[in-house]
Amino acid sequence: MTSSHSADDGKPADGTSAEGAFADGPPSDGSSGAPGQGGAPAPAPAKPTAKRFDGERIALSLAAPVLAVLLSLVICSILLLVSGKNPFDAFDVMLTYGTKSDGQVLTLNRATVYYLAAAAAAFGFRMNLFNIGVEGQYRIAALFAAFVGSQMDLPAVIQIPLLLITAMLVGGLWASIAGLLKVYRGVSEVISTIMLNAIASAVVGLLLVPGIFAPEKGTTTNSIQTDPVSASSHFFSIETAGGTLWGFIVIAVIVGVLFQFTLNRTRFGFDLRATGRSESAATASGVNVKRMVLISMAVSGALAGLIGLPDLLQNSYYYGQSFQAGLGFTGIAVALLGRNSPIGMVFSALLFAFLDVSGTQLPLPQNGAFPFEIVQVMQGTIVICVVVAYELVRRYGLKRQQQKVGAELAALAASTAKKEVSA
């Protein structure tokens, strides 16, 4: 079992073939791992050679998402043609607006939220845990963060970290319920997190009432919402030619860097990926699987707690009945398309954000009055197609691996036969 490549790729279990015992290269002593034959001395240690750029491996890793997007475009084009619309005109409208400065800023802001949602889902997926409860975790975390932000007015250098910690603690604690149920009662995290989504919505409804988390009646609006967070809670933003770029993009970058470092450069990350591949093998190697499940669910929930903060601290400044929903499920789709890789999820989040932002221009009469639903169809078909594409690429990669091994064995047999003849 190696400490790299395995979980970078994919879904909760990406289906790629297990790597060999010497997947990262032959033993450092240059030997083949077998004792010398006939008492012959072992060959001299081979000089280490630099690992060559594996273009085929990179091409295979990119093939599945690219193929999924192309298949989605074809399906959506057919649907537009059937409805009497020109698909090229629709795509031109989306591309034109998406490449403008204001469209780019909106795309980056939306991608920031999607990336945080994807990171929350992907962290559990990397250990083969299906945290479907990201939706409920971020909503209840945002409610508590909004309440704390409205009741406290500390200096920004204290207030903002306090709100970040509050949201992460609430999200992590809520997700830990599913972890405890799985570890001590064997309840599937899929079932428990789905049920916790419904419970979270009920809890939000119970708390977001006048006199508890919402102010008493007497406001000019009929909407029930918390008091606005204090001015010191406002996160910094960057003014650009295309509009206001949310500073929370820095938090998303930090999350991605820590995600990559933790999984690929720490013992915890190795144990997490090893447990995701095989719990029995991880247990045999000394990993406490129950503890890993609890920690992974808590961390996944803590990341989910950050999802609602960009909108809360940089846009609406309060939590109300109209607070954006559905981000948790979108994050799962983004994580799947990005193969749960911190870098892959960047492009996946940008793609989904681009579709959402540019799709708002489709229904406008001056742009041809295209149905906005085509964007939702495109996103849905991407998720479906990516599953099929991953399986096709996996089978092709496995076939190529078998061919390479067969060719190497044939070359070795031919070389051995030639030596015997010459001897």
Side-chain angles (χ1 to χ4, degrees):
M1 183 178 299
T2 60
S3 61
S4 62
H5 306 312
S6 61
D8 289 345
D9 297 344
K11 53 189 180 181
D14 66 3
T16 55
S17 59
E19 297 162 311
F22 297 145
D24 294 327
S28 58
D29 63 356
S31 65
S32 63
Q37 298 178 356
K47 294 182 178 180
T49 57
K51 191 175 181 179
R52 293 185 300 174
F53 180 78
D54 195 344
E56 183 177 0
R57 183 181 182 87
I58 294 177
L60 284 175
S61 64
L62 294 176
V66 171
L67 181 59
V69 173
L70 292 178
L71 287 174
S72 177
L73 288 174
V74 171
I75 293 173
C76 290
S77 297
I78 295 174
L79 291 175
L80 285 171
L81 286 173
V82 171
S83 64
K85 301 289 185 179
N86 188 334
F88 295 102
D89 291 341
F91 298 149
D92 181 66
V93 169
M94 298 174 67
L95 187 62
T96 300
Y97 180 75
T99 52
K100 291 181 178 179
S101 59
D102 52 343
Q104 291 173 350
V105 170
L106 291 175
T107 297
L108 288 175
N109 290 342
R110 187 71 62 88
T112 297
V113 179
Y114 287 171
Y115 187 84
L116 293 173
F123 198 91
F125 286 168
R126 296 297 285 267
M127 211 189 85
N128 211 15
L129 290 173
F130 292 78
N131 182 9
I132 313 299
V134 173
E135 179 74 14
Q137 291 154 20
Y138 92 81
R139 295 189 67 184
I140 196 169
L143 172 63
F144 276 85
F147 178 72
V148 172
S150 66
Q151 300 301 309
M152 304 184 69
D153 189 10
L154 303 173
V157 69
I158 300 176
Q159 180 84 353
I160 292 177
L162 174 63
L163 298 183
L164 294 177
I165 293 173
T166 298
M168 294 181 72
L169 279 177
V170 173
L173 289 173
W174 193 257
S176 297
I177 298 174
L180 291 170
L181 289 173
K182 180 177 180 65
V183 168
Y184 293 106
R185 288 294 180 265
V187 180
S188 170
E189 73 279 4
V190 176
I191 297 175
S192 60
T193 51
I194 289 176
M195 296 305 297
L196 283 170
N197 280 339
I199 297 174
S201 298
V203 170
V204 170
L206 288 173
L207 296 178
L208 191 63
V209 296
I212 303 182
F213 277 20
E216 293 287 354
K217 289 291 186 179
T219 58
T220 57
T221 176
N222 292 325
S223 177
I224 300 178
Q225 60 194 41
T226 62
D227 284 323
V229 297
S230 61
S232 62
S233 303
H234 296 183
F235 209 80
F236 78 92
S237 57
I238 305 171
E239 295 299 329
T240 68
T244 302
L245 178 64
W246 290 350
F248 230 86
I249 192 173
V250 176
I251 300 296
V253 171
I254 294 174
V255 167
V257 172
L258 291 178
F259 195 144
Q260 179 74 11
F261 178 81
T262 300
L263 289 177
N264 298 293
R265 294 293 183 268
T266 65
R267 172 61 186 269
F268 171 79
F270 175 78
D271 290 345
L272 184 145
R273 291 182 287 121
T275 307
R277 279 199 163 193
S278 173
E279 289 189 5
S280 57
T283 301
S285 63
V287 177
N288 189 328
V289 174
K290 290 185 177 180
R291 184 177 64 184
M292 292 300 299
V293 170
L294 290 174
I295 294 176
S296 298
M297 286 300 296
V299 173
S300 179
L303 292 175
L306 297 173
I307 298 172
L309 296 190
D311 183 64
L312 175 65
L313 304 184
Q314 302 208 257
N315 183 33
S316 64
Y317 304 116
Y318 64 84
Y319 187 100
Q321 295 170 314
S322 60
F323 197 81
Q324 186 174 7
L327 296 176
F329 299 113
T330 302
I332 294 174
V334 173
L336 290 176
L337 181 61
R339 305 201 71 177
N340 300 327
S341 165
I343 297 177
M345 290 188 300
V346 171
F347 298 100
S348 180
L350 287 172
L351 174 61
F352 270 68
F354 170 81
L355 292 176
D356 278 345
V357 170
S358 61
T360 59
Q361 303 300 304
L362 291 177
L364 300 179
Q366 62 269 28
N367 291 332
F370 294 96
F372 176 76
E373 288 75 15
I374 197 64
V375 173
Q376 298 171 333
V377 172
M378 189 177 299
Q379 292 174 338
T381 52
I382 285 176
V383 176
I384 295 175
C385 292
V386 78
V387 177
V388 178
Y390 281 152
E391 179 62 18
L392 293 176
V393 172
R394 185 193 71 83
R395 293 184 181 183
Y396 175 78
L398 181 60
K399 182 178 180 180
R400 287 286 299 160
Q401 187 179 33
Q402 293 172 342
Q403 291 174 345
K404 286 183 178 181
V405 172
E408 290 174 359
L409 291 176
L412 180 62
S415 176
T416 302
K418 183 176 181 181
K419 289 180 179 179
E420 291 177 351
V421 171
S422 61

